Amino acid sequence: MQYAKFDINGYRRVMAAFIGEGPESQVFRDALDFALEAHGAQWRRSGDPYIMHPCSVARILAEELDIRNAEILAAALLHDTVEDVPEVTTEVIGKKFGANVAAIVEGCTKVTHYTGDRQTFKKLVHRKIFSGAAAKLEVMIVKLADRLHNLRTLSSMPRHKRQKIADETLDIYAPLATILGLFAIKRELYNLALAYKFPRQGSRLQMHINSLRNDPEVLQIINNVQQALEKGGLAGKIHLRTKGLWGYYDVRNRILIKEIESPQEFLILMETKNGCYQALGVLNEIYPPIPRTIRDFIASPKPSGYQGLHARPNINGRKYLFKIRTEEMARRAQRGMVRDWTADGKSRGRFVKEIQEMFDILGSDDSVSYRDMIAASGRKEIYTYTPQGDLICLPVNSILLDFAFRVHTAIGHTAIGGMIGKQKVGLEHQLRDGNVIKVIRQEEQVHFEPGLQKLCQTPKARSELAKAFRLRREAVSHQIGKTVLAQELRRYGVPFEIVEKKGMADILEYFGIDTLDELYLQVGEGRVRLRELIYEIRHGLYVGRPTLYQPTGVFNRVDLATVDPVVIKSSACCKPGPLDKGLVGLLSERGLSLHSKDCAQLQKINFQREDAVEVRWKLKGTRIDKAQKIIIMQASRNRLLMLLSVAPEEMKVVDVVYLGKGTAMVGDWEINFRVTNLYGLKKINRHFERSGLRYEFELEQ
C-alpha cells in the first residue's frame, strides 16, 4: 500500500487563520500535539495516516460551519482517542484539556464493552451519542463532521461496509443535519450516502441532474430575472440551484425516484433586507406566484434562525421555487444553529432547548423508535400559530396534540381538543399550514388513548405519551406485585410483615433493587422471578422456622379495577373479556397479557405457575368511560324494541341503527349505549343472553 504523508505544519497555518494564535486557542494546539502522539502509529485503510481524520473533522467545523471555539475544535481532534488508544481515558482528557472538552469527547466515544447481539449494541451506541448530545449539542456537531469526512473517504472501504455506513447516514445523520438546519452538510451527506447506497441508479440519475443545468428554459428565466432586477435599479444576483441526489430520495419508501416536481430552484442574493422585499416585488411582476405560496421567513424566521423570502411561480407549466436572501442570510442558511453558537436570543434559545429535549428523548426512552422520531422530525414543516401569534413549526401530518405538547408539556397533558377558527376539533385532528390553534384544556391530566401515540409526529408528544402510558402500567403492576407476593408468602405460611424486617435490605441488594416499591413493581412486571424471591426470603429472613410445602397448580389471584388497554392486553388468540370466567394474565413489562385458561395458545407458552395470575374484576369499582355497542342478529323491529324496553336501567341507549336493506325491518341491528361500570355491563350481557337472540359484543376499552 502507498502510504500518504500529512503536512502538519501546513495544517497548523490553515487552522491558525481561523482561530488565531493567541492564548485563547492554546487548548487547540495542545490537543493537536496530544492527538499526533496518540494516533502516531495508526493508519487508515486508504493509506492515510490516521491523524488526518480528526484533523479533517476539526477543519470541517472551522471552515464549513464557522466554528471558532477552540475547545470544540480540540474535542474534534481528540474524539477518537479514548476509543482507539487504550491508555487514553476520559479522565486523562479532562485533566489535560478541561471538563468541557472531556464531556464532548465522552459523548462521541462509542460503547466498547458489550456482550449482547449486534442490533442491541448498535442501539446502545446511538442512544449514548444522543444522550451526550442532550447534555452538549457540540457532540452531535462533531459526529456530523466526523460522518461527513468518513463518507468523503469511504471509497477505500469494502462494499458491505459502504452500504452499512450509507444506510446509517440516511436513517440518522443526514436527517439530524436537516433538523439542526445544517443544510449544506445535509445535502452532501445525502448525496454521498445515496451514491454508495444506489451506485448504478445514482450514477444514471446524476447524469440527468447534470444535463438539467443547461436547460434553455431555465437559462432564459435567469436572464429575464436578472434584466428585471437591473431595470428596477436593484443590485442583485440570481443563481441556479439544481437539486442533487438528495432531492430525489423518497425517505418514506427508502428509494430513489426518477422525477420530482421541482428539480431546480433559484437563489436571488441582495445586499440588504429591504432589497429582498424589492426583489420580491420585481419577481412577482414578471412571474406571478401561485396563490398562498409566498413565505416571509425574514419577518418570521424559522426556529433554527433561517431567514429568507420564498415564492413559487408556475412558469410554462412547471413549478419553480425562488429564494431571496442577503449574503449573510445565505451564510446562516448553510451554518444553521451553530452559526451563532453563543447567541442567547429568545427564539434561538428555545430552538436549542427543543433540540436538546429531542436528543434527551432519543437517548433515554426505549419505548419509542429513534429512527421513526428522527424521520418525523426531519420531514417538511408546516407553520402554525398560537392565538397570540407565536409561530409553532411542526412536521407535516402533525396533529393537535403535537401542537399542544410543543407549546408546553403541561398544556399537552391536559389537552382535550382545540379551536381552529370557529371549528372545534379533536386531539387527533391533522393540522394544516397557517392554522391558528387554541387548545382546550381540563384541570386534571388526560387519560390518553394508546392509538394517539402513532398519530403524533413530534418526539416530544410521542415521548410524553409513552411516559404517561408507562406510569399507568407501573401503577397497576406495583399493585399486582404486592398482591401476589403477599399471597405466595401466605401459601408457604410466611407472614407478609417479614418484608418490613431489617434483613430485607440484603435481599433487595441481592436483586439489585433499592426499595420495596421497586421490588413490587418488578415482581408485577415479571422481572423478578417470584420463586427465586420466595426462596431468598425463606432461607434468609425465615431460616430455621417451619414453612409449608411448595404450592402447585393454583395461580395467585388479582382483583383489578381497570380495563385500560395500556395495562390490559387481550390476546388475539382467544380474545378474552373482563366478563369472562377463568382468565389468566401473564406478567410482563408491557402489561398483563390476558388468555382464557383453556386457550390452546396458552398451553404452548412455557411459563412457571408464579409467572401468571388469575384475573378477576371489581365489577362496581371498574368504570367504563367509552361508549359501547352490541350487534343483534336477525331480529324484528318489534322484538328489538320490546327487548330494549325491559333492559337493565344501567343501559343508557344512545341510538339504534338498522344494518339490513329494504323495509322488511328484520335483520341485524347495532345498538350504541353507555354504561357506568362493569357491574352494569354484566347485567346487560345477561339480559341479552336470556333473550335467545344471537348477538355480538366486544368491550371497547
Side-chain angles (χ1 to χ4, degrees), residues 518-579:
E518 179 65 19
L519 176 68
Y520 298 147
L521 174 62
Q522 292 204 24
V523 170
E525 292 180 338
R527 288 190 285 154
V528 167
R529 305 302 292 268
L530 197 54
R531 179 180 292 187
E532 187 180 357
L533 176 60
I534 296 294
Y535 178 88
E536 293 299 328
I537 291 174
R538 287 171 62 207
H539 294 85
L541 300 182
Y542 212 64
V543 65
R545 304 185 196 182
T547 58
L548 303 178
Y549 290 109
Q550 177 182 332
T552 58
V554 182
F555 294 118
N556 293 305
R557 188 178 115 188
V558 293
D559 296 304
L560 299 178
T562 179
V563 289
D564 186 352
V566 167
V567 178
I568 311 297
K569 313 290 183 185
S570 186
S571 59
C573 45
C574 53
K575 294 185 178 179
L579 298 180

Side-chain angles (χ1 to χ4, degrees), residues 569-576 593-596 599 601-602 698:
K569 313 290 183 185
S570 186
S571 59
C573 45
C574 53
K575 294 185 178 179
S593 177
L594 282 189
H595 291 264
S596 298
C599 171
Q601 194 62 34
L602 180 67
E698 191 171 318

Side-chain angles (χ1 to χ4, degrees), residues 575-589:
K575 294 185 178 179
L579 298 180
D580 298 338
K581 293 181 180 179
L583 297 183
V584 174
L586 300 179
L587 306 176
S588 80
E589 293 178 59

Side-chain angles (χ1 to χ4, degrees), residues 32-143:
L32 181 55
D33 293 337
F34 186 89
L36 277 166
E37 186 177 344
H39 294 299
Q42 296 176 344
W43 296 84
R44 303 191 92 200
R45 185 184 288 267
S46 61
D48 295 330
Y50 194 89
I51 190 61
M52 282 183 69
H53 171 64
C55 286
S56 297
V57 171
R59 182 168 177 172
I60 288 170
L61 295 177
E63 190 170 27
E64 301 179 42
L65 291 177
D66 293 348
I67 289 178
R68 302 292 184 259
N69 183 297
E71 287 192 337
I72 298 174
L73 298 175
L77 289 174
L78 302 168
H79 77 273
D80 276 339
T81 53
V82 173
E83 193 176 314
D84 293 346
V85 185
E87 57 269 25
V88 178
T89 63
T90 307
E91 290 72 24
V92 170
I93 299 293
K95 284 179 183 177
K96 285 185 172 289
F97 304 103
N100 188 39
V101 174
I104 300 172
V105 172
E106 168 60 23
C108 293
T109 303
K110 293 177 184 174
V111 179
T112 50
H113 303 294
Y114 183 74
T115 55
D117 62 274
R118 284 195 63 79
Q119 195 65 26
T120 306
F121 170 68
K122 203 68 181 172
K123 287 179 182 177
L124 279 175
V125 169
H126 290 145
R127 292 202 186 274
K128 182 178 184 296
I129 293 169
F130 299 146
S131 295
K136 285 196 166 292
L137 280 177
E138 294 93 330
V139 169
M140 188 50 65
I141 305 302
V142 172
K143 289 301 294 183

Side-chain angles (χ1 to χ4, degrees), residues 633-638 658 660-669:
M633 315 285 195
Q634 292 300 303
S636 67
R637 182 174 180 272
N638 288 341
Y658 178 56
K661 293 181 180 179
T663 57
M665 289 300 182
V666 175
D668 297 346
W669 302 79

Side-chain angles (χ1 to χ4, degrees), residues 312-327:
R312 293 180 183 273
N314 187 318
I315 305 172
N316 299 327
R318 291 167 66 180
K319 293 179 183 177
Y320 292 95
L321 172 63
F322 285 82
K323 296 178 178 178
I324 308 172
R325 307 172 184 154
T326 64
E327 292 276 5

